[in-house]
């Protein structure tokens, strides 16, 4: 180890890790942002996991933003050799994906529609056409295939070296054989990096340490939830009939992939029983290192591969490579600023598609580091999607093994994980389980998805059609619309902002006006500097110096981090997370007031308890906070109950509601109810890339107040310029069509967008989808009304109608009753 390299004592940004992600981040920081960048690598560039990556570059993902990043990777790899003079091994030979059964074929057709939605070229092929593209395979069991002609393959080490040279050409400094041993912090922000060659004072740090990222993060208290999984692939001798232009091949039903290499094949896959690399700490000196071959474990893939490619039976084998790869508990990689330490960013956990992601992820992460906020909707990979649950290494291990095992399995709609459950439960868990609840999991919380009728097993049966819970959810939906339903939403994230500066702080952070009297309840967004929607939540004033803030389960860490980082320094305001102190019971439906009257002495009439207010009431001898608000589009209250009182309150409500036909209901009913009412879902219909005016939420922005707030300048610009996209509602009458999101929106036969969310409306009896209609020359009511519309669903066009107001209760008469 070189202990005395002449590293600088100061840098603006220090990048840790010399794999493809670290080098790409340094390249983009230097080239696009003219940043003063130092990259540190404990060994040599690519020595961690990059050097043994298989190098397949596919672009299509379920997220438009992530697909966009992968498309940029391809664009970068195409030009990089010309820019730096170093070969990359990039080859745009296309990618072929196979379907061996009808359900996989449906999945592929839905993927083809998604590709069209995201602007990717994807062609469906017959088995015979697929064999013409890939002659060596046996097609006797094929139903069909899909070809993405712009996919390809690359040499991971060469691309990384080329990125490193590009970074140096733009002023970045790269130091090898320098290890990071600690960090200095100042007021919760990183201020210096301690290394084996000295200390570097800096403004920001980017942890691109791959499977070492958790260890690096741990040096300053940052959690990076990932697990090293063993991944094996073999390389054959030359095989007759293989040429250099052969596309990459993915055979997910047989869990295998193939790519051409020097006239032979690379073959690997993702087993149903993957092997973690279980070490307490990665050994010192693990550079350019591999794990022991395990032919016994690999045999299950080899058997499947030989069925698909019979030539493997006689091919010579050069090597079997077993290298550790970083996987995460949800199969998505990790980007962004850590919630624990300011100025400490992470780019890690790439789940065996780091080469495909490398270019785009580095570009996005560089912009995030420089600007302090994500440059587009990157929620699916945002480090703030994790919670304290993910600090538990044994839980992360168990869930990551399951995620890795699903790498090539069918991506069913509404699929739930089964590992690591139950972990977090509300006090009502056993009561709801006894009432035949089928639970899902969100950030470790067990939440009722639906309730099975007597004699029906409360277990999901997955398909691409109507699933087994469809009619059961319909009954819950109708109970809420026609009578009264009770929803356990105790997993809601709940905060209190306290201090003499609480009003000033939230007035700056919130787009809506929260400077209201005590007892007021406000729905608001929080905007980023681009005017995009960073948070979507409710703010209730509970005292002159205190607010109660409620947001979705999955957004707990994200929203808390956003609020804390944007509290003005001169404001006396502190945010407290009190999620586990309060249960939430949502009592919703036209008879909800009748039920509430039975259990409390408080006047809950429309005159005394108006929509958009809260009050402290008492039920079953327990004081609680009642918030008159709804996400279901009906008269109702969110009842926030001290956690220890939730059982008593639940029992009292169910007993009082029996004569009104009260029903338990779950999250799948909530989804159908909110779609009918046109309520937006953050992370789907509204994101950091969408303005309130594009989303139809401009009424919740306080532009008329003239008060300053975060994102105001961008919001004013968005208000005053023509919209290039608008969120619209579409319905499909055909009951046999199933919408699940990402279906292409066609206007006059031309694609203009895709659905951001979709489902079935039980009250209106139709499919419902929401999505942005896009047009670079502007979208207004006249443009929308002048077109005829279709949706592409699994490559089939179906007629649809566009709507310009909520499908249910457009005048809010039921909500405000």
């Amino acid at each position: 180890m070189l202990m005395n390299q002449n590293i600088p004592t100061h840098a603006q940004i220090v990048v840790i890790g010399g794999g493809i992600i670290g080098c790409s981040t340094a390249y983009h920081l230097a080239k696009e942002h003219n940043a003063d960048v130092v990259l540190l690598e404990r060994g040599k560039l690519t020595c961690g996991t990059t050097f043994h990556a298989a190098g397949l570059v596919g672009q299509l993902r379920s997220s438009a933003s992530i697909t966009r990043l992968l498309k940029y990777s391809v664009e970068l790899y195409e030009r990089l050799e010309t820019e730096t003079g170093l070969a990359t091994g990039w080859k745009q030979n296309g990618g072929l994906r196979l379907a061996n059964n009808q359900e996989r074929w449906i999945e592929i057709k839905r993927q083809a529609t998604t590709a069209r939605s995201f602007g990717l070229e994807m062609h469906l092929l017959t088995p015979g056409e697929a064999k013409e593209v890939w002659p060596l395979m046996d097609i006797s069991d094929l139903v069909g295939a899909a070809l993405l002609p712009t996919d390809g393959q690359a040499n991971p080490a060469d691309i990384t070296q080329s990125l490193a040279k590009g970074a140096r050409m733009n002023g970045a400094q790269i130091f090898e054989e320098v290890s990071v041993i600690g960090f200095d912090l100042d007021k919760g922000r990183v201020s210096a990096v301690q290394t084996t060659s000295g200390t570097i004072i800096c403004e920001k740090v980017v942890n691109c340490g791959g499977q070492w990222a958790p260890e690096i993060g741990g040096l300053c208290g940052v959690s990076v939830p990932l697990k090293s999984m063993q991944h094996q692939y073999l390389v054959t001798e030359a095989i007759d009939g293989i040429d250099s232009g052969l596309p990459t091949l993915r055979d997910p039903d047989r869990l295998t992939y193939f790519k051409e290499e020097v006239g032979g094949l690379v073959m690997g896959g993702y087993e149903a029983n993957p092997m973690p690399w279980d070490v307490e700490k990665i050994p010192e000196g693990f550079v350019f290192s591999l794990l022991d071959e395990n032919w016994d474990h690999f045999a299950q893939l080899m058997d499947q591969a030989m069925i698909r490619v019979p030539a493997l039976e006689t091919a010579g084998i050069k090597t079997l490579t077993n290298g550790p790869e970083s996987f995460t508990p949800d199969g998505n990689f990790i980007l962004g600023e850590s919630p624990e330490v300011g100025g400490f960013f992470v780019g890690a956990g790439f789940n065996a598609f780091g080469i495909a992601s490398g270019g785009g992820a580095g570009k996005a992460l560089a912009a995030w580091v420089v600007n302090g906020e994500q440059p587009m909707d990157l929620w699916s990979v945002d480090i703030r999607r994790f919670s304290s649950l993910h600090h538990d290494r044994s839980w992360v291990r168990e869930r990551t093994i399951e995620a890795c095992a699903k790498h090539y399995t069918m991506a069913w709609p509404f699929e739930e994980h089964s590992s690591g459950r139950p972990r977090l439960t509300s006090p009502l868990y056993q009561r709801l389980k006894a009432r035949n609840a089928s639970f899902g999991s969100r950030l470790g919380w067990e939440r009722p998805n639906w309730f099975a009728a007597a004699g029906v097993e409360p277990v999901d049966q997955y398909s691409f059609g109507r699933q087994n819970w469809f009619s059961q959810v319909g009954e819950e939906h109708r109970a809420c619309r026609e009578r009264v339903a009770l929803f356990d939403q105790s997993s809601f994230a709940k905060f209190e902002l306290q201090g003499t500066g609480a009003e000033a702080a939230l007035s700056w952070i919130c787009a809506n006006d929260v400077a209201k009297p005590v007892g007021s309840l406000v729905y608001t967004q929080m905007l980023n500097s681009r005017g995009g929607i960073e948070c979507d939540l409710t703010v209730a004033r509970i005292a002159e110096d205190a607010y109660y803030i409620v947001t979705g389960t999955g957004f707990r860490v994200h929203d808390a981090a956003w609020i804390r980082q944007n509290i003005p320094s001169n404001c006396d305001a502190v945010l407290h997370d009190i999620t586990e102190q309060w249960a939430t019971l949502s009592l919703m439906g036209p008879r909800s007031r009748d039920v509430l009257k039975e259990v409390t002495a408080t006047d809950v009439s429309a005159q005394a308890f108006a929509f958009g207010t809260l009050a402290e009431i008492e039920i079953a001898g327990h004081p609680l906070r009642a918030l008159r608000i709804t996400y279901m589009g009906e008269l109702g209250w969110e009842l926030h109950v001290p956690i220890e009182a939730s059982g008593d309150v639940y029992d009292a409500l169910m007993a009082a509601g029996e004569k009104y036909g009260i029903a338990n209901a779950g999250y799948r009913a909530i989804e159908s109810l909110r779609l009918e009412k046109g309520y937006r879902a953050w992370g789907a219909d509204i994101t950091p890339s969408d303005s309130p005016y594009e989303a139809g939420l401009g009424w919740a922005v306080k532009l008329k107040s003239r008060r300053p707030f975060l994102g105001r300048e961008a919001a004013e610009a968005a208000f005053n310029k023509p919209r290039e996209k608008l969120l619209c509602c579409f319905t499909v009458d055909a009951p046999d069509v199933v919408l699940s999101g990402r279906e292409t929106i066609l206007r006059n036969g031309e694609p203009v967008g895709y659905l951001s969310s979709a489902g079935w409306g039980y009250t209106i009896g139709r499919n419902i989808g929401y999505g942005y209609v896009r047009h670079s020359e502007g979208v207004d009511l006249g443009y929308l009304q002048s077109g005829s519309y279709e949706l592409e669903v699994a490559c089939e066009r179906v007629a649809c109608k566009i709507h310009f107001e909520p499908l249910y209760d457009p005048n809010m008469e039921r909500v405000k009753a």
Side-chain angles (χ1 to χ4, degrees):
M1 181 72 70
L2 301 178
M3 300 298 291
N4 295 301
Q5 289 197 61
N6 188 26
I7 65 172
T9 57
H10 292 76
Q12 180 187 4
I13 301 165
V14 175
V15 178
I16 303 168
I20 191 168
I21 306 303
C23 289
S24 177
T25 303
Y27 167 86
H28 287 95
L29 282 167
K31 181 178 175 65
E32 297 190 349
H33 303 281
N34 196 31
D36 171 21
V37 183
V38 169
L39 184 147
L40 305 177
E41 166 52 52
R42 66 190 177 86
K44 297 291 185 182
L45 297 183
T46 78
C47 74
T49 58
T50 296
F51 82 94
H52 63 71
L56 279 69
V57 179
Q59 298 166 83
L60 181 61
R61 294 294 184 272
S62 59
S63 159
S65 294
I66 305 307
T67 298
R68 180 177 163 190
L69 295 189
L70 272 60
K71 289 172 67 178
Y72 171 79
S73 291
V74 168
E75 295 166 7
L76 175 64
Y77 300 161
E78 286 178 333
R79 70 170 192 264
L80 195 58
E81 182 173 346
T82 300
E83 179 182 328
T84 66
L86 290 184
T88 62
W90 166 247
K91 183 165 56 177
Q92 194 172 78
N93 52 339
L96 193 65
R97 189 176 181 91
L98 308 182
N100 300 355
N101 54 66
Q102 286 297 331
E103 289 192 306
R104 181 72 73 176
W105 185 230
I106 293 171
E107 181 188 55
I108 282 183
K109 289 192 291 185
R110 286 187 173 272
Q111 289 171 342
T113 289
T114 298
R116 181 179 177 86
S117 294
F118 296 170
L120 272 180
E121 186 180 355
M122 187 171 181
H123 306 292
L124 297 181
L125 306 179
T126 66
E129 291 169 334
K131 188 170 179 66
E132 290 178 10
V133 174
W134 227 91
L136 273 74
M137 68 172 168
D138 183 290
I139 62 169
S140 58
D141 64 341
L142 283 195
V143 175
L147 177 67
L148 285 97
T150 57
D151 281 358
Q153 61 191 69
N155 183 306
D158 288 350
I159 279 189
T160 304
Q161 293 291 350
S162 190
L163 286 166
K165 183 175 180 182
R168 292 189 185 100
M169 289 167 60
N170 288 281
Q173 300 180 74
I174 297 178
F175 297 91
E176 298 177 306
E177 298 189 25
V178 176
S179 295
V180 172
I181 56 176
F183 299 95
D184 293 342
L185 305 181
D186 182 22
K187 297 178 180 177
R189 291 189 62 84
V190 67
S191 59
V193 180
Q194 301 166 12
T195 82
T196 50
S197 295
T199 297
I200 305 175
I201 297 171
C202 61
E203 298 174 15
K204 297 175 181 178
V205 167
V206 191
N207 176 5
C208 298
Q211 62 183 344
W212 288 266
E215 182 180 331
I216 295 166
L219 295 173
C220 62
V222 171
S223 172
V224 183
L226 57 82
K227 177 67 181 174
S228 294
M229 302 296 297
Q230 300 184 48
H231 179 64
Q232 296 193 103
Y233 63 83
L234 61 77
V235 181
T236 75
E237 303 283 358
I239 298 174
D240 289 342
I242 291 180
D243 63 55
S244 61
L246 192 71
T248 60
L249 178 69
R250 293 172 177 83
D251 188 2
D253 290 311
R254 296 194 181 279
L255 307 178
T256 54
Y257 65 79
F258 306 81
K259 76 163 189 172
E260 182 274 339
E261 183 162 305
V262 197
L265 288 175
V266 171
M267 186 281 287
Y270 298 92
E271 310 92 332
N273 59 338
M275 299 182 296
W277 186 33
D278 283 325
V279 290
E280 280 298 311
K281 188 175 185 297
I282 297 173
E284 292 293 330
F286 194 83
V287 296
F288 292 115
S289 298
L290 297 169
L291 307 178
D292 293 338
E293 301 171 351
N294 190 331
W295 282 101
D296 288 342
H297 196 264
F298 191 72
Q300 59 187 301
L301 296 179
M302 191 68 183
D303 290 344
Q304 295 297 317
M306 287 189 296
I307 295 171
R308 178 63 62 218
V309 184
L312 283 176
E313 294 183 23
T314 56
I317 305 299
K318 286 184 179 179
T319 58
L320 178 65
T321 296
N322 185 3
E325 293 275 3
S326 299
F327 276 75
T328 64
D330 63 2
N332 290 322
F333 56 86
I334 302 171
L335 290 185
E337 187 174 11
S338 76
E340 298 97 340
V341 175
F344 191 99
F345 292 78
V346 177
F350 280 82
N351 302 279
F353 63 98
I355 309 307
S357 309
K363 178 182 175 70
L365 186 54
W368 202 333
V369 170
V370 169
N371 298 321
E373 59 187 38
Q374 53 187 305
M376 62 181 79
D377 171 28
L378 294 172
W379 171 241
S380 64
V381 298
D382 192 328
I383 191 171
R384 295 169 295 179
R385 73 189 188 272
F386 299 121
S387 71
S388 58
L389 168 68
H390 297 87
H391 298 185
D392 183 339
R393 287 166 50 177
S394 63
W395 189 92
V396 168
R397 178 189 185 276
E398 185 176 353
R399 178 57 59 85
T400 302
I401 290 171
E402 182 184 7
C404 184
K406 290 181 174 179
H407 196 73
Y408 269 178
T409 59
M410 207 82 71
W412 298 112
F414 306 103
E415 185 175 10
E416 294 280 352
H417 289 291
S418 59
S419 59
R421 297 177 58 188
R423 178 57 184 255
L424 303 173
T425 60
S426 90
L428 305 179
Y429 178 73
Q430 292 299 336
R431 284 175 169 85
L432 300 180
K433 188 176 181 180
R435 293 176 182 260
N436 239 12
S438 176
F439 291 93
S441 178
R442 188 72 179 269
L443 274 191
W445 282 92
E446 293 293 316
R447 312 190 312 174
N449 278 339
W450 58 282
F451 289 81
V456 176
E457 189 177 9
V459 176
D460 289 340
Q461 296 173 9
Y462 300 125
S463 77
F464 288 105
R466 301 290 178 207
Q467 297 187 6
N468 65 312
W469 45 263
F470 182 75
S471 61
Q472 316 278 336
V473 170
E475 291 302 316
E476 298 168 29
H477 177 113
R478 281 183 281 275
C480 186
R481 287 279 185 255
E482 299 169 5
R483 306 187 309 276
V484 58
L486 190 59
F487 302 82
D488 179 12
Q489 296 189 278
S490 298
S491 64
F492 271 164
K494 298 166 281 279
F495 312 101
E496 283 188 7
L497 187 73
Q498 299 176 338
T500 57
E503 179 185 302
L506 281 181
S507 291
W508 167 249
I509 302 170
C510 295
N512 207 347
D513 184 7
V514 297
K516 303 285 188 181
V518 174
S520 298
L521 177 62
V522 177
Y523 164 73
T524 184
Q525 292 94 46
M526 295 175 173
L527 306 184
N528 55 40
S529 65
R530 305 186 310 280
I533 302 170
E534 279 288 342
C535 308
D536 180 71
L537 37 72
T538 57
V539 174
R541 192 161 199 169
I542 56 176
E544 289 297 328
D545 60 352
Y547 286 85
Y548 184 57
I549 302 169
V550 182
T551 190
T553 306
F555 315 136
R556 177 179 183 176
V557 174
H558 172 278
D559 289 7
W562 183 261
I563 293 168
R564 288 189 176 111
Q565 78 181 60
N566 288 296
I567 294 174
S569 59
N570 62 349
C571 280
D572 169 30
V574 179
L575 188 74
H576 302 281
D577 188 329
I578 56 171
T579 298
E580 278 76 26
Q581 296 178 30
W582 296 85
T584 304
L585 294 174
S586 294
L587 184 71
M588 299 287 159
R591 305 307 300 267
S592 59
R593 179 177 284 122
D594 296 321
V595 175
L596 208 52
K597 285 180 179 178
E598 299 267 352
V599 295
T600 184
T602 302
D603 185 352
V604 295
S605 67
Q607 296 74 27
F609 204 146
F611 182 76
T613 63
L614 81 153
E616 185 172 290
I617 69 173
E618 186 176 294
I619 297 177
H622 301 286
L624 54 92
R625 291 172 180 167
L627 283 62
R628 182 145 179 225
I629 196 167
T630 179
Y631 193 55
M632 294 73 161
E634 293 291 344
L635 168 69
W637 284 262
E638 283 180 13
L639 304 175
H640 291 250
V641 184
I643 200 78
E644 66 278 4
S646 56
D648 291 345
V649 173
Y650 172 85
D651 291 343
L653 291 168
M654 291 301 292
E658 186 173 357
K659 66 182 177 181
Y660 301 107
I662 196 169
N664 285 289
Y667 273 82
R668 293 194 180 142
I670 293 174
E671 181 68 3
S672 68
L673 290 160
R674 74 96 185 168
L675 283 169
E676 286 188 337
K677 190 66 180 70
Y679 290 144
R680 281 57 167 148
W682 193 87
D685 308 313
I686 50 177
T687 76
S689 295
D690 307 312
S691 81
Y693 301 102
E694 295 166 336
L697 297 173
W699 56 268
V701 181
K702 59 188 176 199
L703 285 186
K704 292 181 180 179
S705 72
R706 304 293 181 188
R707 296 176 187 168
F709 62 89
L710 178 59
R712 181 182 183 109
E713 185 176 330
E716 287 178 330
F719 176 77
N720 290 315
K721 72 178 183 181
R723 318 276 189 261
E724 293 187 3
K725 64 179 184 181
L726 282 175
L727 187 66
C728 299
C729 175
F730 300 89
T731 59
V732 174
D733 291 338
D736 57 331
V737 171
V738 177
L739 302 181
S740 57
R742 299 183 298 278
E743 290 85 0
T744 308
I745 303 167
L746 300 150
R747 178 184 180 273
N748 298 339
E750 295 298 322
V752 292
Y754 54 89
L755 298 186
S756 51
S757 62
W760 181 260
Y762 293 90
T763 304
I764 67 167
R766 282 174 282 169
N767 291 282
I768 305 169
Y770 277 84
Y772 288 92
V773 173
R774 293 165 164 84
H775 184 52
S776 60
E777 297 179 12
V779 180
D780 57 18
L781 186 60
Y783 175 83
L784 294 171
Q785 289 177 329
S786 65
S788 62
Y789 295 90
E790 297 171 293
L791 296 176
E792 183 181 306
V793 183
C795 297
E796 300 289 336
R797 292 189 177 190
V798 299
C800 68
K801 298 173 185 175
I802 190 169
H803 303 267
F804 306 107
E805 62 180 16
L807 300 169
Y808 182 80
D809 190 26
N811 298 320
M812 301 282 284
E813 294 170 355
R814 295 175 70 90
V815 169
K816 296 183 177 181

